[in-house]
Amino acid sequence: MKDNIFINLAINSAIESYMNYKQTTDNEMFVSFPVMVIRTLIAIYGELDIINPYRTQNENQMGGFDENLTKFGLPASSLKKFKESFENYRIAKEKKEFPNPYFIEIEKLLIDMFYYRKKSMNLSSEEIENFQKMLYLSTTNNPVMLQEINSSTNDILVIDHYWNGKLFESNHNLHFMPYKKNTLIPEAYNVLGYSLESIAEMDEATLNELNLKILSFFKIDPAETNQRERLQQAVTYYKQFGNRITTGNGYVDMLMLLSIIATIMMTLFVITVKVLGG
């Protein structure tokens, strides 16, 4: 065995095989899974970014393998996972394990890498289609790739679903925020000038405090069992008619309204200062 293994045996052998068979593309080895992984990396980053680090044995220095694969935003933790999964795939393959869980893991990570590139630059539909042809999807017409799918997983659609989901997400610019269990309906926050982004940044205690003030504003008991339905009705009414509270005396009504507005604004100011101050 060579002493100068680049990163690990799986990556080192796959790059060597790619270089040995790149001039004979009709050879089945050029479509073997390890070589396809390297070809997919090259499709994302370019051949120089993959082959040069191998030739110079540069894994994590400037201009090395790690830097090249994270240049579009791939987290270092995902890169580490990719390296480990590739080596674990090789070991599981030698042991003839079925299913081989690292097969799907590697494909998902390659899709993630492409997804980060797509987010950082405009890609043509042709580039996306060409990349898709390199994935181990159930729709592939390549018999060698189909054989790999059947010998590695018992769920041939999992990669299809992951690819389609990522493609949809990138095309629609979706932004996911952390979910908090004690969140009220979004319209209630909007009424008082709070966006979902600002709510997502609040800690649980601050959000609970704001929720109580909102329920108080709409005159809803926090202990009510149908609290959400009551709040939805109150917000709908508020949007249509405003917060009409009357005593029959215009002067007193004005004082009551000013008092309510002042109380709410002061409360929101205190909460906002808390959030901005950490």
Side-chain angles (χ1 to χ4, degrees), residues 2 12-27 29-30 35 38 47 51 54-55:
K2 291 172 57 178
N12 191 87
S13 300
I15 293 177
E16 285 185 347
S17 294
Y18 166 78
M19 295 175 68
N20 289 335
Y21 293 102
K22 63 180 292 188
Q23 303 302 330
T24 55
T25 56
D26 56 339
N27 192 302
M29 284 299 298
F30 194 65
V35 174
I38 300 304
E47 187 175 68
I51 303 304
Y54 163 80
R55 285 175 171 158

Side-chain angles (χ1 to χ4, degrees), residues 21 26 67 105 127 148 161 169-170 189 201 209 226 233 273:
Y21 293 102
D26 56 339
E67 185 179 273
E105 195 62 54
E127 288 177 295
E148 177 68 39
H161 295 326
E169 181 181 335
S170 65
Y189 300 111
E201 293 174 359
E209 185 178 344
N226 61 337
Q233 293 170 1
V273 170

Side-chain angles (χ1 to χ4, degrees), residues 193-261:
Y194 275 79
S195 66
L196 292 180
E197 287 79 7
S198 62
I199 298 301
E201 293 174 359
M202 292 183 182
D203 58 48
E204 297 290 339
T206 304
L207 183 56
N208 278 330
E209 185 178 344
L210 176 59
N211 288 347
L212 290 174
K213 297 301 180 183
I214 289 176
L215 293 174
S216 175
F217 177 79
F218 289 108
K219 294 181 170 44
I220 296 174
D221 186 345
E224 274 198 50
T225 55
N226 61 337
Q227 178 194 110
R228 195 172 186 84
E229 291 77 8
R230 282 287 314 281
L231 182 58
Q232 183 66 69
Q233 293 170 1
V235 169
T236 301
Y237 181 88
Y238 183 90
K239 285 182 174 180
Q240 187 172 357
F241 302 107
N243 192 24
R244 293 183 180 175
I245 304 173
T246 181
T247 64
N249 184 308
Y251 180 72
V252 175
D253 286 351
M254 182 180 69
L255 291 179
M256 286 179 61
L257 182 58
L258 289 174
S259 175
I260 291 172
I261 292 174

Side-chain angles (χ1 to χ4, degrees), residues 143-201:
V144 179
M145 295 176 72
L146 279 173
Q147 184 180 359
E148 177 68 39
I149 295 173
N150 293 325
S151 64
S152 298
T153 181
N154 48 18
D155 187 354
I156 63 171
L157 294 177
V158 65
I159 299 172
D160 298 48
H161 295 326
Y162 193 78
W163 165 247
N164 290 331
K166 280 292 183 179
L167 195 59
F168 180 87
E169 181 181 335
S170 65
N171 288 338
H172 293 79
N173 195 27
L174 299 180
H175 175 61
F176 297 98
M177 294 180 295
Y179 172 75
K180 290 183 171 65
K181 291 183 178 179
N182 59 338
T183 303
L184 301 175
I185 60 174
E187 296 92 330
Y189 300 111
N190 293 336
V191 164
L192 297 180
Y194 275 79
S195 66
L196 292 180
E197 287 79 7
S198 62
I199 298 301
E201 293 174 359

